[in-house]
Structures are given as C-alpha cells and as structure tokens.
Amino acid sequence: MHDSSRTRLHRGAPSALAGSLWIAFACVTPASAQIPGVSETCADRPLATGVSMFSVQAAAPARSGASPARPASDLNCIDLFSTTRGGDAAGLVELRRPWSPFGVTVTPDGEHRHELVAWLARLPDPSSLGPYAAYVAWATPLELDPVVRLGEVREGRNELGEVAFNKYLLWVTAEASADVAERSGPLVVRGRSPSSRMEAHDLMAMAPSAERAPGMEHGTHDMGSTGGGAWAMPPMYEGVPMLPGVMGSRPRVTPLRPGRESTAEPATLPSATPRQTVVLPDGGTLDLVAGFVKKEIEGREIVMMGFNGQIPGPLLHVREASTIFVNFTNDTPLPTAVHWHGLRLDNRFDGVPGVTQDPVRPGESFRYQIHFPDPGIYWYHPHHREDVTQELGLAGNMLVDPLETGYYNPVDHEEVVMLDDLLLGEDDVVPFGAESANYMLMGRFGNVFLANGEPEYGLDVEAGEVVRFHFTNVSNTRTFNLSFRPTDDPSGAPLPVKVVASDVSRFERESMVESVVLAPAERYVVEVLFPSGGAWALTNRVQGINHRQGLFLEESAVMGRVAVSAARPAPGPTGTGPSTAAPADTGAHAHDFSTLRTHDTVVADIDRYRHLFETPPDRELVLTLEVDSLPMAIEQSMNLDWVYFNPVEWTGTMPVMNWATSGVEVGWLLRDPATGAENTDIAWHFRVGDVVKIRVTNDRAAFHAMQHPLHIHGQRFLVIEQNGVRNENMAWKDTVLLPTGSTTDILLELSNPGRWMVHCHIAEHLESGMKFVFDVEGSPDE
C-alpha cells in the first residue's frame, strides 16, 4: 500500500498529555556519554534521571513521517536510577538473547530469557554507606518473591547472568560481603524491565465484569458490514476483556466463506482423508488436485480444502538431487498456484502468480517441474489468498532423503508433523474478508490447534526409543513453543530435545533444548529419546498478554500424545518403519542420544563466507506499518499498548480489533531506507554468485510493532547476528523470525537466477502487500 495519501502513524514524542515529562526524559545527555563502554544497542538511551515519560500510559502519538523519538533500545535495555543513598550513581543494563537455534530464546513455559550485561558508573565507596564492602545485583519479579542473587558488581561492565521473569525489578545493594546469599543492605541503584511498564488501561479493566465483553454472553452478535454482508462477531478470548468502544468495530470488507457459497451442502462433499505418503523416483509424476472436502473437527462438520482430498496434502517422499513432475489442477473457485517452499528450484516453477507464472484459474491446470537440490523437510502451499486457502487445509510436506550416508543419526522412528491452527466459530470456520484479508493488524490466530490436520496427534513407541520429528509450522500467524511434558504432571520437566537441522541444512553443531520455537513457515528437525514407559504430551506453552489489564497470560495447549510402552524389545532390528513410509534407521544398536555431533560439511560450507561476517551491510530493510482511518477506539487502545511490545505476539488476545482491520486501514511495509522505496517499488538486482549482507530492522516505532517471519524464495541465507550479538551456531535458512524491535543481519547467497519474492510469512501481512521481488541474473553454472 504505497500511497502518499495514507497517514503514517509513527510513535513520536507524546503531545500535551505527556508534556514536560517527555522533555525531561528526551533532552538529557545520552547515557553512553556518561557511562563508559555502553554497548551500541543501549548507546542511544537517555541518561537515567528519575523522570520518565513511561509513567504516562496514555500518550497520543505524533502523526508524522519524522524519525520516531523513542529508540528500539527501550525494549532491550534497562535504565538504572540512583536512590538518595546512591548519589550520582547511574547505570544501564542490556537484555541480550542467550543463544538458541531459534529466532527467540524462551523457557518451555514461554518466558523470554535474557542474559543481562550491566554498565555502572559513579558508585560511591560502599564503606561510605555503612558497614559495607561490596555491591551485589539482584533480580525479582514484581511480587518481590523470589529475590535472585545475580552476583557482585563493580564500576564498568558486569555480566549478571540470566533472568527469565515476565516482569521484574533489578536492584544493586551495598552489602557486608560479596558472598551474601540474601539482600540486607541499602539499595543504591534500581531499574525495571521494559515489560513492567505495562499497566491496566483503566480501573474498570480490573473489575470482574470486565472479564466479559459487552453483549457477548452467548458468543455472537450480528453486525452489519459496510461491505454489504453480515458479520457475526468472532470468538472472544476467555478472560481477556475488550474496551467497550472496540466492540463496536467491524470489518469494512464483505465476509467470504469459500465452499459454503459455491458448493452444495457439506454432506455432498467427500470426507477429507488423512495424509498419504507418495514415494516418487527421479522423473516420477504426481497428479495433484486442490478441491473442497468436508471434515469433522470438534463435533462440527466443516467445509475445507484439501490436496487430493487429504488434510494435510500428500507427503512427497523423494531423494536429494531428484526431479519430479506435478500436474496441478485447481478445483477451487479462487485463482491460485502452488509454491514449493524452501526449494532452490527453477524459477519458472516457484509458483508465485504474477511473478513466475499466471494464476491457475478455477478448472485449469499447470505442470510443475520440481528439483530437490538439498535434503531436509520442505512444504508446498498456495501463493494467492493463502490467508484463505492455506487456513482451510491446502498445505503438504516434502521429505527429501540425503545422498550422504550417515547424514542423520540412527533413530527408531521418523515422524513428519505439520503444525497448524484453525479459527472456528459456533458452527463453522470464521469467515474471511472478500475484497481484502481481514485480521490484517496482527494476523489470524486460530482457536483450535491441529497436528497433521487433527486436534490431537498420536504416536506409540517403546521405552528407550529415539524419534526424529520433522516439524513444519503452516499456521497463518501463530508462533509455537513446543515441548514434550509428562501427561500425569503437566508442570513437570520436559524431555530434552536434540536440534539437528532447520530449513535448508543441518546446524553446524547439534544442541539440546527443552522446547522448540517455530514461526510460520519454519521447519526444524529434532530428535527425542523417550526413556521410560508412560505418556508424554506434545505441548504448546506461551506467554501472551492481556493488554487491557497489562498482564502476562500463560496459554497451554496439548497438540498430541506419545504413548511409551514400559519395556523395549531386546537389541536388534526393530522392524519398525516410520509412519511416513520412509525407510528409517534402526536405533536398537548403540546410539548415544546425549552425543552432540559437529557436522563438518556444514562447517566447511559456511567457512567460505565467514570473512564476510564483519563487513558493513550491503543492503538494509526496515519492517514497519502504515495505518489509515482506524476506528477511534482501536487507535486509542493501541496507543496504550505501545508502551511495551512482546518480542513475539504469541496468541490472539485482541480478537475484535484484529478481526475488524483489513487492507482498507492497514498496510504492512518492507522499506529500503537507502531509497525510500517500499514493497513492490523496491528494485534490487544481483548476479549469480553474489553474496549480500542485509541488515533487517523490525521497527519498534511502528504503530503496532510485532514479530515477522521473513521468507526469501529460491535462495538460502545465514542468520549471522541479532542486536549486535553473533550467532555462534548456524544453519542455512529460508525463513527467519524477526522479533519486535530487533536488528538482524543475514548473509544471502545468490545461487539461483530468476525473479524471487521476499515477504512476511504471516499470511495477512503478505496479503496487505508486505512483499517485493528481486532479480538475479546469470546462469546457475556461474
């Protein structure tokens, strides 16, 4: 939506409401000028003075295209203020992300983990405050229990270790000894986490009646759409109230429900069948048809879409370096195409309507030639109105076996698991926007979780067996945080998970984690040892936000169960193949699950590019947002929410204001700051063999800053740095999760000629126009 008439809401200095508080905060000398050695991430922080505009929750944004007054560092840094005992003492703390294989680092319960690095200046001699000899740092949640000792601190730089509270305070106290286990001395400097700035929007939000949205006692409310159709209110998020004015908002587009409008009753449609595996040799051919099916989900018979009548679509099982042919037929009422996500294939067959091919009209066909240069797990899906067709079931996986012997560890089972969610109303899927996608602001979150198309996935294994899972996130918006937890103790410790590979390659080194984070379109290959009999729940657990009350909200959902028998057969070939019909390695011979391999071929491949890691960026992108004519209640509510944005918006706790937004009001942007070009106006040109460093900034000053999974077609890239911290263990990627307010450096290898798309893989953001195409000239042999 590159339209000069559209108002761009940036977050500038608050107007009269904040007044002198903003001036006192913004006009002081940056802390980096008075606290030596502060990191670049925090260098733009104003000096902590004890007066902050953060106390003003309802500041109205300036409406201009000027640079925002608040820096991104307010999500990544903590000001330390002096107490009266501290005199002129001051400090800053940077919140660094501990390394993980994922785009964010969280606990299995979804709390964001932070490694704290503090810079302190002008601390008084502790003995001048009394019988004290050292300074000690502490962290505590707002409830002040527990109080966690971080360690002794001194003037200058201090590494404080890791904290994983949702909201917390930092204290530095004078103590009799650096070794004290409990705080007893006077407080000298203190600060609060960025998340602790969230507070209730209004006192009424704390009333019990605020837990219910007005007029929503029965879940629906008929409201006319200015587009001419009738909308039913979307499902509410239980326990999260909406401002009364927000409840009057509605989409300005017509509701669309494919299948209900263009077919007979669901009873006349074929029932969706579970996914089948199709093993295709080099040169093999598959006929693939997209059409309507009916499927029962949670007692409701729903019209959905399937490839070859299956949800998910057929699993294509092929071998690395093979080429297959797919004869695709579109039996849906929407023009479409099939994108082969993650594959570095011939550009003509990438499946992007208007870029690599004409759309496949209803009733028409297209023949794809698909080459598989890389082993791993990939997927296919539509690339036109995917907010509709992908949500309704059009997605399938491709499992590419490696040529290299011993590429993966030996395991006992191999499972391909497609993760999704679906937004259901009382009787049917919640309608979509016809003229434009709705749910445009935050993306469409489902309220029913699906694994391989079912509300609950199941697997039976023997005690002591190792399972390799190939996970793919095909949801429109949701980022998952998956762990395996004991079903008899949901709060119990999760099983260790070995991370082996991601989108386009294995990692340089395998690693152990407790949970797996997948943004939309990402894939991860992991291994899990089930050590004893019992049952384990595949659980998604995250920390959402109750925005109106300013509180974190834990959400937990079981997506599947693994039943483990008490005894394992004697050593020897198990004879158990993978449920995908793929030939599995037998893990009955000595396989030490705790061994973490280094993948020398991956290390050597990346070694060719390490000399480029320190070079300045060749290109830059800024991810931001423009809005126009939002309902006043939504705009005012978002003004209050802006004080803090979660690094990841894990769940849809603002259903009405999100549902009511469409392309009429919202335009998500990719911007080239060097030229000012946005979205499809960006004109990047490369040659085969180029290697380009791109710095991607997720604009904290956007009207609604949130995470973006950025996908680049037809190539591969390395994520080399985030917020100035080097990635210490890499894999080749095609999609990267960019947290709110982050700056991420990627190294893009241009090996595949053609016209290739870059876009956010939140389906509604893509539909809003958050995309552009770059050209790669030359021959693959260059």
Side-chain angles (χ1 to χ4, degrees):
M1 243 181 274
H2 186 46
D3 181 357
S4 59
S5 66
R6 181 181 293 277
T7 299
R8 302 196 178 193
L9 291 189
H10 289 274
R11 302 299 190 174
S15 59
L17 186 59
S20 60
L21 288 182
W22 174 265
I23 296 171
F25 181 88
C27 294
V28 295
T29 304
S32 57
Q34 298 192 29
I35 303 177
V38 171
S39 72
E40 185 176 342
T41 299
C42 296
D44 60 356
R45 302 293 294 149
L47 182 69
T49 63
V51 181
S52 169
M53 64 95 177
F54 297 147
S55 61
V56 180
Q57 288 267 334
R63 298 189 177 210
S64 73
S67 298
R70 178 180 286 182
S73 61
D74 79 336
L75 298 180
N76 301 310
C77 306
I78 298 174
D79 301 299
L80 296 180
F81 299 88
S82 175
T83 66
T84 55
R85 301 290 297 273
D88 294 329
L92 277 174
V93 178
E94 181 183 352
L95 282 58
R96 293 185 174 178
R97 181 173 73 88
W99 183 85
S100 82
F102 316 115
V104 292
T105 305
V106 296
T107 70
D109 291 331
E111 297 102 341
H112 284 270
R113 294 166 50 197
H114 299 137
E115 283 183 351
L116 306 183
V117 181
W119 288 264
L120 300 172
R122 299 181 300 283
L123 292 172
D125 187 325
S127 64
S128 68
L129 305 178
Y132 308 114
Y135 286 109
V136 178
W138 314 84
T140 181
L142 302 193
E143 298 81 11
L144 307 185
D145 183 34
V147 177
V148 177
R149 182 183 186 277
L150 299 177
E152 182 183 10
V153 294
R154 297 182 174 88
E155 290 265 336
R157 188 179 189 275
N158 300 266
E159 296 190 7
L160 303 183
E162 187 174 308
V163 170
F165 298 126
N166 280 331
K167 294 183 176 183
Y168 57 95
L169 305 175
L170 293 179
W171 298 332
V172 174
T173 61
E175 302 292 345
S177 166
D179 300 325
V180 296
E182 295 184 0
R183 178 216 164 182
S184 61
L187 187 62
V188 177
V189 294
R190 80 284 194 213
R192 58 193 298 193
S193 66
S195 55
S196 69
R197 298 195 298 265
M198 288 193 302
E199 297 176 8
H201 288 181
D202 55 85
L203 292 177
M204 290 301 295
M206 309 305 294
S209 61
E211 297 296 322
R212 298 186 304 274
M216 295 306 300
E217 289 80 3
H218 304 291
T220 60
H221 180 61
D222 198 30
M223 304 187 75
S225 162
T226 57
W231 285 96
M233 289 292 285
M236 297 295 101
Y237 196 101
E238 184 177 356
V240 179
M242 295 282 101
L243 289 168
V246 171
M247 299 303 297
S249 305
R250 66 203 70 180
R252 297 176 185 175
V253 291
T254 307
L256 169 69
R257 180 57 178 100
R260 294 291 187 182
E261 302 160 346
S262 56
T263 66
E265 288 300 310
T268 66
L269 294 172
S271 295
T273 59
R275 173 188 66 197
Q276 301 296 311
T277 298
V278 179
V279 180
L280 290 165
D282 187 26
T285 298
L286 171 71
D287 293 329
L288 190 69
V289 179
F292 287 115
V293 293
K294 64 182 178 184
K295 185 174 178 63
E296 184 173 315
I297 298 178
E298 295 197 341
R300 286 163 275 195
E301 192 170 69
I302 297 168
V303 175
M304 298 185 70
M305 294 181 180
F307 285 117
N308 289 2
Q310 302 169 34
I311 297 178
L315 171 62
L316 311 187
H317 190 189
V318 300
R319 198 152 179 80
E320 178 187 356
S322 64
T323 299
I324 66 169
F325 300 90
V326 175
N327 298 320
F328 170 67
T329 300
N330 180 15
D331 269 356
T332 78
L334 298 173
T336 191
V338 182
H339 171 55
W340 310 91
H341 187 110
L343 295 181
R344 296 187 290 163
L345 76 175
D346 188 321
N347 185 243
R348 295 173 296 166
F349 305 112
D350 192 44
V352 181
V355 177
T356 64
Q357 66 173 92
D358 292 330
V360 182
R361 302 289 177 185
E364 295 182 350
S365 298
F366 187 89
R367 181 175 174 85
Y368 292 97
Q369 178 178 310
I370 306 166
H371 181 63
F372 298 92
D374 305 296
I377 186 72
Y378 303 89
W379 65 298
Y380 57 95
H381 62 88
H383 218 287
H384 177 73
R385 286 307 303 264
E386 63 185 74
D387 64 301
V388 178
T389 54
Q390 187 176 302
E391 168 84 347
L392 291 177
L394 289 182
N397 271 123
M398 300 172 285
L399 182 61
V400 185
D401 284 344
L403 294 175
E404 178 186 329
T405 302
Y407 185 87
Y408 290 125
N409 302 311
V411 296
D412 301 289
H413 300 270
E414 192 167 27
E415 292 286 307
V416 175
V417 181
M418 183 170 278
L419 306 159
D420 199 1
D421 63 4
L422 183 66
L423 185 58
L424 295 183
E426 285 191 348
D427 303 312
D428 193 14
V429 172
V430 172
F432 308 87
E435 299 83 3
S436 158
N438 65 331
Y439 288 95
M440 193 73 86
L441 198 56
M442 303 141 202
R444 182 179 172 115
F445 287 93
N447 55 4
V448 176
F449 291 84
L450 302 174
N452 287 345
E454 298 297 333
E456 191 164 301
Y457 158 84
L459 176 66
D460 296 323
V461 302
E462 301 282 351
E465 289 188 327
V466 178
V467 180
R468 178 159 52 246
F469 291 94
H470 300 265
F471 286 125
T472 305
N473 181 354
V474 304
S475 68
N476 280 25
T477 298
R478 185 180 300 274
T479 297
F480 292 96
N481 181 41
L482 302 175
S483 58
F484 290 89
R485 296 175 177 268
T487 56
D488 57 355
D489 182 12
S491 62
L495 288 174
V497 176
K498 180 187 291 187
V499 180
V500 177
S502 190
D503 299 345
V504 191
S505 81
R506 295 171 295 175
F507 281 90
E508 295 179 271
R509 294 174 299 281
E510 296 172 346
S511 59
M512 287 289 188
V513 299
E514 292 185 300
S515 63
V516 179
V517 177
L518 295 99
E522 284 192 302
R523 288 92 61 213
Y524 279 90
V525 180
V526 304
E527 295 168 6
V528 182
L529 168 65
F530 294 92
S532 58
W536 298 85
L538 177 61
T539 304
N540 179 61
R541 188 168 295 176
V542 299
Q543 301 291 321
I545 292 179
N546 179 333
H547 292 269
R548 188 175 176 193
Q549 295 184 343
L551 301 173
F552 282 90
L553 179 71
E554 181 175 285
E555 178 181 277
S556 185
V558 173
M559 301 191 66
R561 299 182 192 274
V562 180
V564 186
S565 66
R568 178 174 178 167
T574 64
T576 303
S579 64
T580 62
D585 301 305
T586 57
H589 57 282
H591 168 53
D592 185 1
F593 177 72
S594 64
T595 299
L596 299 176
R597 293 171 58 190
T598 295
H599 299 126
D600 293 331
T601 55
V602 180
V603 173
D605 189 17
I606 295 174
D607 279 347
R608 298 181 297 144
Y609 302 104
R610 292 190 203 276
H611 67 285
L612 299 173
F613 291 177
E614 302 293 341
T615 60
D618 302 292
R619 304 289 175 115
E620 293 191 48
L621 281 176
V622 174
L623 285 61
T624 191
L625 172 67
E626 60 181 22
V627 297
D628 185 30
S629 303
L630 280 174
M632 182 176 294
I634 292 180
E635 185 174 323
Q636 291 175 338
S637 181
M638 296 303 297
N639 289 341
L640 298 171
D641 294 332
W642 178 73
V643 70
Y644 173 75
F645 290 130
N646 218 357
V648 172
E649 196 157 322
W650 295 99
T651 190
T653 55
M654 296 188 284
V656 175
M657 68 172 66
N658 191 15
W659 163 78
T661 58
S662 69
V664 177
E665 306 91 0
V666 174
W668 285 98
L669 299 176
L670 294 167
R671 178 184 298 140
D672 180 351
T675 64
E678 296 172 347
N679 291 346
T680 54
D681 290 335
I682 295 174
W684 286 2
H685 300 275
F686 306 106
R687 289 201 61 83
V688 169
D690 287 347
V691 180
V692 180
K693 185 175 181 180
I694 304 173
R695 177 159 294 166
V696 188
T697 299
N698 188 350
D699 184 13
R700 188 269 182 268
F703 178 73
H704 178 70
M706 64 177 291
Q707 80 281 359
H708 297 281
L710 190 71
H711 173 48
I712 301 179
H713 287 216
Q715 316 292 335
R716 62 178 189 168
F717 60 82
L718 299 168
V719 180
I720 60 178
E721 187 174 291
Q722 188 178 98
N723 292 343
V725 178
R726 178 59 45 82
N727 184 358
E728 62 190 49
N729 183 10
M730 303 182 195
W732 288 102
K733 299 277 292 175
D734 59 62
T735 305
V736 57
L737 174 59
L738 303 168
T740 305
S742 64
T743 296
T744 304
D745 288 353
I746 66 173
L747 197 70
L748 177 64
E749 177 197 73
L750 286 311
S751 62
N752 202 3
R755 303 188 68 225
W756 303 101
M757 183 169 282
V758 179
H759 65 89
C760 176
H761 221 289
I762 291 176
E764 291 72 24
H765 293 184
L766 170 60
E767 288 301 318
S768 82
M770 199 176 192
K771 60 186 177 182
F772 72 93
V773 175
F774 64 90
D775 293 307
V776 182
E777 299 179 356
S779 163
D781 300 325
E782 288 186 16

